[in-house]
């Protein structure tokens, strides 16, 4: 059954914590410049002693409850955003919470935000599309061949050695697009031991997007293979799986989780088999399993997807085990 689509980003832009609190008739008192406090309204909250454990920031559009028993009852989550709040109040998944908010918005069921003395909630700056593209990129550079990346794949991803001017000079440049196919940045990979290993433009927010998400969406597959890095992505693509995207790190951000939930029904986590990758896998599995189905690929200790041959990648993807099915 195809899942109903929900655009987390657009719902989030239209629903504030203030609106949601007023919907549930939660009254808080001002406790700081951007802090409102009071009795925790969540059904999971059982402690009668903590009368002031619940706090909300309207500018960050976020909430938390500091009561240890309340946190434990919510699987260790201290707080969250509007979606997490509605999910806790309604006892539903994050995805279902977003769907309900979306419906309420369409049916004009939510009270208007009164915005108090806080003014409009500022939105987080986006990664703006670039007004230029880099030219003279060598897709056949020995570094790429050494990492097992064919010229065809390098050309397809626009990846190659850049010898022009600027902060990416002498590095392997990797174009990064947003989900709408707009070029927003180039990452620059050092080809020797130079630090930093990767250079990104100042102000670029990698937690706001996923590398290669636009192509994964275009593949039409409803399952996403999620990896850590650029080279993992390219190697998995080369093995015949265009439905792959990268976190550009080992930690999934809530924004990235929303993006995945917007476009996919299933996710296969294939992070590095090291300490950071395992921690990232556990955190991502927890976050994503309330939104969509999650499977985990366990690689041999110390390895990462970009070190695998295409046959090995296919073998691992065939062996991934089911962790959970999406909640209804
Ligand atoms: Zn609580």
């Amino acid at each position: 059954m195809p899942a109903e689509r929900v655009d987390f980003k657009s719902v989030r832009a239209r629903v504030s914590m203030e609106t949601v609190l007023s919907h549930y008739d939660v009254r808080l008192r001002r406790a700081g410049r951007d802090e409102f406090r009071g009795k925790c309204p969540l059904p999971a909250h059982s402690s009668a002693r903590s009368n002031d454990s619940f706090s909300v920031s309207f500018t960050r559009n976020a909430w938390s409850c500091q009561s240890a028993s309340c946190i434990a009852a919510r699987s260790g989550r201290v707080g969250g955003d509007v979606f997490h709040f509605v999910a806790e109040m309604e006892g539903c998944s994050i995805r279902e919470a977003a769907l309900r908010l979306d419906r309420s918005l369409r049916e004009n069921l939510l009270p208007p935000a009164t915005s108090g003395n806080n003014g409009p909630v500022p939105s987080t700056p986006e990664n703006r599309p670039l007004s230029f593209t880099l030219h003279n990129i060598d897709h056949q550079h020995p570094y790429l061949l050494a990492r097992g990346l064919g010229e065809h794949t390098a050309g397809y991803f626009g990846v190659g050695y850049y010898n022009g001017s600027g902060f990416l000079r002498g590095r392997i440049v990797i174009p990064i697009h947003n989900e709408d196919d707009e070029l927003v940045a180039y990452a620059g990979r050092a080809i020797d031991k130079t630090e930093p290993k990767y250079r990104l433009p100042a102000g670029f927010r990698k937690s706001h997007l996923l590398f290669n998400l636009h192509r994964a969406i275009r593949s039409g597959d409803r399952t996403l293979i999620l990896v850590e890095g650029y080279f993992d992505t390219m190697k998995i693509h080369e093995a015949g799986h265009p439905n792959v995207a990268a976190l550009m790190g080992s930690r999934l951000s809530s924004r990235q989780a929303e993006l995945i939930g917007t476009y996919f029904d299933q996710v296969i986590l294939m992070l590095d088999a090291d300490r950071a990758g395992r921690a990232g896998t556990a955190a991502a599995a927890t976050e994503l399993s309330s939104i969509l189905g999650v499977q985990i690929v366990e690689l041999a200790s110390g390895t990462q997807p970009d070190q695998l041959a295409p046959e090995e990648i296919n073998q691992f993807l065939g062996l991934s085990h089911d962790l959970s099915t999406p909640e209804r």
Side-chain angles (χ1 to χ4, degrees):
M1 176 183 104
E4 192 178 345
R5 281 175 71 104
V6 56
D7 185 347
F8 286 87
K9 195 164 138 189
S10 112
V11 176
R12 180 205 285 284
R14 289 176 293 152
V15 184
S16 65
M17 265 318 286
E18 197 183 358
T19 304
V20 169
L21 290 175
S22 132
H23 175 71
Y24 290 102
D25 202 20
V26 179
R27 319 244 165 133
L28 304 172
R29 59 175 181 78
R30 182 182 279 277
R33 207 169 62 83
D34 179 40
E35 194 193 7
F36 292 78
R37 277 198 167 274
K39 199 166 148 40
C40 177
L42 301 176
H45 194 96
S46 58
S47 164
R49 279 177 301 137
S50 46
N51 259 331
D52 213 27
S53 59
F54 187 75
S55 105
V56 169
S57 154
F58 287 144
T59 54
R60 288 191 300 116
N61 234 0
W63 62 273
S64 66
C65 173
Q66 297 300 332
S67 155
S69 58
C70 187
I71 295 169
R74 290 180 284 106
S75 322
R77 181 184 278 285
V78 178
D81 59 14
V82 285
F83 301 126
H84 295 117
F85 184 78
V86 171
E88 289 296 338
M89 291 301 282
E90 304 285 336
C92 66
S93 68
I94 303 286
R95 185 186 153 75
E96 180 58 31
L99 282 167
R100 287 184 196 188
L101 284 170
D102 193 24
R103 274 180 228 130
S104 304
L105 280 166
R106 279 189 266 126
E107 292 159 17
N108 275 324
L109 292 176
L110 290 176
T114 51
S115 103
N117 1 354
N118 297 292
V121 177
S123 57
T124 340
E126 289 294 328
N127 295 309
R128 291 235 196 90
L130 296 182
S131 53
F132 65 89
T133 50
L134 298 178
H135 295 287
N136 301 318
I137 294 170
D138 177 9
H139 303 309
Q140 302 176 60
H141 192 272
Y143 177 86
L144 297 173
L145 296 175
R147 290 200 65 167
L149 212 61
E151 185 193 344
H152 181 76
T153 304
Y156 178 78
F157 281 89
V159 168
Y161 183 76
Y162 177 65
N163 206 16
S165 58
F167 79 109
L168 296 171
R169 181 185 171 80
R171 286 176 174 252
I172 297 290
V173 290
I174 305 161
I176 302 172
H177 300 77
N178 62 22
E179 69 270 26
D180 298 324
D181 208 356
E182 294 167 316
L183 176 68
V184 292
Y186 286 94
R189 172 69 163 89
I191 57 168
D192 47 28
K193 300 263 181 252
T194 313
E195 291 291 333
K197 196 151 82 170
Y198 282 97
R199 271 200 177 139
L200 283 158
F204 174 69
R205 290 160 186 271
K206 58 182 181 180
S207 64
H208 284 201
L209 40 78
L210 291 146
F211 173 65
N212 202 47
L213 180 66
H214 64 304
R215 295 190 194 95
I217 294 169
R218 273 202 327 244
S219 76
D221 206 311
R222 296 294 295 169
T223 298
L224 178 73
I225 303 162
L226 187 64
V227 296
E228 289 190 26
Y230 309 105
F231 285 88
D232 302 321
T233 305
M234 293 187 274
K235 290 296 282 283
I236 287 176
H237 169 95
E238 204 168 48
H241 310 276
N243 53 321
V244 56
L247 294 171
M248 299 179 278
S250 54
R251 299 309 290 229
L252 173 86
S253 72
S254 52
R255 187 71 163 269
Q256 290 170 327
E258 289 167 18
L259 282 170
I260 295 169
T262 302
Y263 296 103
F264 299 92
D265 301 328
Q266 286 280 332
V267 65
I268 299 174
L269 302 176
M270 199 176 184
L271 275 53
D272 299 355
D274 56 17
R275 222 173 128 201
R278 281 195 203 98
T281 299
T286 305
E287 176 92 22
L288 290 168
S289 54
S290 67
I291 309 178
L292 71 173
V294 179
Q295 294 176 284
I296 296 175
V297 171
E298 284 173 39
L299 301 178
S301 187
T303 58
Q304 50 193 66
D306 76 316
Q307 298 163 336
L308 302 175
E311 315 76 72
E312 292 175 299
I313 290 173
N314 291 329
Q315 212 169 17
F316 275 115
L317 286 171
L319 290 176
S320 64
H321 66 267
D322 203 3
L323 180 80
S324 68
T325 46
E327 293 173 43
R328 285 278 159 254

